[in-house]
């Protein structure tokens, strides 16, 4: 299992200046942070460093500016929230305002670490990026994982190595092509992989069903068929909730019938959620499991007509006696929207990073902390 140096490895820190790479890439609407989970998640690391006498300066990326300053991605709202939560911690400007960050430019790394005595990576959500602030500083400064990063590695690494069984993985989201690698990796370690969300239609088509106007990646159908034919432990929905002709996603006023269908979706209809039978079936599997990993919504839960599958699954994950892990991104947002976050054992702060860690067992940011990162 992957190990990383931890904060204790940096002692003594009295009077030292520590550069903290955090992932404060939080949702901001109209200048207001709508979810500060990622800022709060770094607080234990900051508190520990301060208790041990260090001065902490934080840095983060925010959004995807194109390598130059862009007022839309100013970290000012994040800086203000951080000042409330962790007084005395300075926050540098958005790392991605400089093309050297994503380009992993050694000159950018050199400027970034100037005046620092040590480096701490607590940016789990960005540790799958081989960017300068992630892989650069450990090549020059004593470096360690913060508490959040260490916990993510322990939990997600643990799923790969010795999960309590049965281990049920539930995957949703729109694209099979994005998740194929992680589906294959999960099939190696989980007892069963349940597939919902938009990507289930590519699998249903591979089984010979009609998908109507539902999301479907035709070029992935043969790959899905090969997996199913090989007897992979994949469970698919047995019914779906679909929107009829004329309907619009997110706009009930536009009309269009909403119906429960089996696994065949007629022309002009669009499957947008797993149906009630599948929801109950998936919930049963989660309730009987001893380890659960969930990433990706079961349907378009932002539209109340298509939230039932995701809600039922989220409730089952919350109720389950299993050790439950929810991947970041949309599934974490769903759990928060349904008020269930406190009943999940571990909600990852990383979407792409958690999937990549499950898939590969390592990340560029972790390899860098171990002194083993090399550009490939
Ligand atoms: C995220 O929110 O996914 C992480 O902060 C990484 O951001 P990125 O996908 O823009 O690299
Ligand atoms: Mg992302």
């Amino acid at each position: 299992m992957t190990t990383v140096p931890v904060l204790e490895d940096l002692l003594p820190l009295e009077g030292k200046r520590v550069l903290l790479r955090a992932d404060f890439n939080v949702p901001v609407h109209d200048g207001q942070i709508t979810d500060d989970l990622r800022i709060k998640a770094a607080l234990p690391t900051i508190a520990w460093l301060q208790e041990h006498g260090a001065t902490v300066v934080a840095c983060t990326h925010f959004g995807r500016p194109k390598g130059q300053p862009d007022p839309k991605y100013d970290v000012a709202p994040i800086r203000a929230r951080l000042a409330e939560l962790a007084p005395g911690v300075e926050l540098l400007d958005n790392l991605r305002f400089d093309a050297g960050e994503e380009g992993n430019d050694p000159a950018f790394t050199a400027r970034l670490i100037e005046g620092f005595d040590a480096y701490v990576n607590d940016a789990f959500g960005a540790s799958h990026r081989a960017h300068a602030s992630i892989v650069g500083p450990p090549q020059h400064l004593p470096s360690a994982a913060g508490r959040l990063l260490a916990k993510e590695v322990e939990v997600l690494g643990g799923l790969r190595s010795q999960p309590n069984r049965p281990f049920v993985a539930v995957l949703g989201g729109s694209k099979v092509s994005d998740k194929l690698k992680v589906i294959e990796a999960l099939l190696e370690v989980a007892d069963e992989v349940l597939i919902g969300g938009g990507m289930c239609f590519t699998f249903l088509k591979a089984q010979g069903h009609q998908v109507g106007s539902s999301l479907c990646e035709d070029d992935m159908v043969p790959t899905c068929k090969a997996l199913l034919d090989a007897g992979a432990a994949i469970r698919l929905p047995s019914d779906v909730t679909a929107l009829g002709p004329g309907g619009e996603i997110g706009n009930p006023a536009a009309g269009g019938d909403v119906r429960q269908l089996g696994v065949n979706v007629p022309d002009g209809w669009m499957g947008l959620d797993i149906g009630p039978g599948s929801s109950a079936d998936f919930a049963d599997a989660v309730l009987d499991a001893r380890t659960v990993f969930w990433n990706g919504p079961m349907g378009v839960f932002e539209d109340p007509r298509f939230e039932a599958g995701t809600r039922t699954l989220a409730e089952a994950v919350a109720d389950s006696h299993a050790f439950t892990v929810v991947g970041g991104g949309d599934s974490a947002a769903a759990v928060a929207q349904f008020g269930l976050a406190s009943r999940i054992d571990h909600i990852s702060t990383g979407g792409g990073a958690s999937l990549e860690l499950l898939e590969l067992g390592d990340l560029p940011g972790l390899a860098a902390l171990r002194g083993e990162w090399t550009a490939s």
Side-chain angles (χ1 to χ4, degrees):
M1 192 163 129
T2 321
T3 53
V4 280
V6 292
L7 293 177
E8 285 73 9
D9 296 322
L10 296 177
L11 290 172
L13 282 168
E14 195 62 45
K16 298 279 176 64
R17 283 174 59 80
V18 174
L19 176 66
L20 173 70
R21 175 44 159 116
D23 182 351
F24 293 156
N25 187 25
V26 293
V28 173
H29 291 293
D30 300 327
Q32 301 291 319
I33 295 173
T34 53
D35 178 3
D36 63 3
L37 170 76
R38 281 179 162 179
I39 305 179
K40 289 193 172 136
L43 296 179
T45 297
I46 292 173
W48 190 94
L49 290 168
Q50 291 179 327
E51 276 159 26
H52 289 81
T55 298
V56 181
V57 175
C59 61
T60 185
H61 72 284
F62 172 44
R64 292 179 175 171
K66 303 266 172 280
Q68 57 189 26
D70 179 342
K72 189 169 168 230
Y73 299 110
D74 191 329
V75 297
I78 301 169
R79 190 175 279 138
R81 186 76 184 116
L82 183 65
E84 289 166 6
L85 294 168
V89 177
E90 189 191 327
L91 180 66
L92 303 181
D93 281 338
N94 191 340
L95 291 162
R96 291 186 184 171
F97 281 179
D98 192 312
E101 163 67 354
E102 293 184 66
N104 188 19
D105 178 358
F108 178 76
T109 300
R111 285 199 300 280
L112 184 65
I113 64 172
E114 210 184 305
F116 288 101
D117 304 298
Y119 166 82
V120 170
N121 181 354
D122 222 7
F124 175 67
S127 288
H128 58 318
R129 308 284 183 218
H131 294 171
S133 66
I134 299 288
V135 298
Q139 299 174 47
H140 307 281
L141 294 177
S143 297
R147 291 287 188 253
L148 163 64
L149 180 61
K151 176 83 183 172
E152 296 271 15
V153 171
E154 181 194 319
V155 170
L156 294 159
L159 292 184
R160 279 176 55 100
S161 54
Q162 34 191 259
N164 287 323
R165 298 191 181 279
F167 173 13
V168 171
V170 190
L171 291 178
S174 48
K175 287 176 142 189
V176 183
S177 51
D178 284 351
K179 303 238 167 120
L180 182 68
K181 291 273 171 44
V182 78
I183 292 172
E184 288 172 344
L186 283 168
L187 285 167
E188 300 272 318
V189 290
D191 296 284
E192 197 173 20
V193 178
L194 317 186
I195 293 183
M199 70 177 173
C200 75
F201 296 99
T202 306
F203 280 96
L204 290 173
K205 186 161 182 174
Q207 283 186 326
H209 301 296
Q210 283 171 258
V211 298
S213 307
S214 313
L215 271 184
C216 182
E217 286 175 278
D218 285 328
D219 54 342
M220 293 299 294
V221 168
T223 310
C224 294
K225 186 169 188 318
L227 271 178
L228 295 170
D229 287 350
I234 289 175
R235 195 191 301 207
L236 294 170
S238 51
D239 59 354
V240 303
T241 302
L243 179 62
E248 285 174 26
I249 299 170
N251 181 17
D257 287 343
V258 174
R259 279 195 207 150
Q260 313 298 342
L261 304 172
V263 280
N264 284 302
V265 181
D267 283 348
W269 288 72
M270 200 187 293
L272 292 172
D273 193 9
I274 61 173
S278 311
S279 301
D281 180 44
F282 283 18
D284 281 350
V286 161
L287 289 166
D288 287 342
R290 292 186 62 206
T291 304
V292 174
F293 173 75
W294 173 30
N295 178 286
M298 296 293 101
V300 184
F301 72 99
E302 301 86 342
D303 183 325
R305 298 172 295 176
F306 307 108
E307 71 157 37
T310 305
R311 181 187 283 276
T312 302
L313 184 75
E315 284 168 352
V317 176
D319 286 343
S320 175
H321 293 299
F323 178 65
T324 51
V325 181
V326 172
D330 288 341
S331 18
V335 162
Q337 178 180 315
F338 301 141
L340 299 168
S342 65
R343 295 169 57 207
I344 309 293
D345 290 304
H346 182 80
I347 299 181
S348 176
T349 52
S354 63
L355 295 180
E356 195 169 318
L357 182 53
L358 278 176
E359 179 193 329
L360 302 173
D362 203 4
L363 299 174
L366 307 180
L369 289 176
R370 298 193 312 269
E372 290 168 9
W373 187 79
T374 42
S376 52

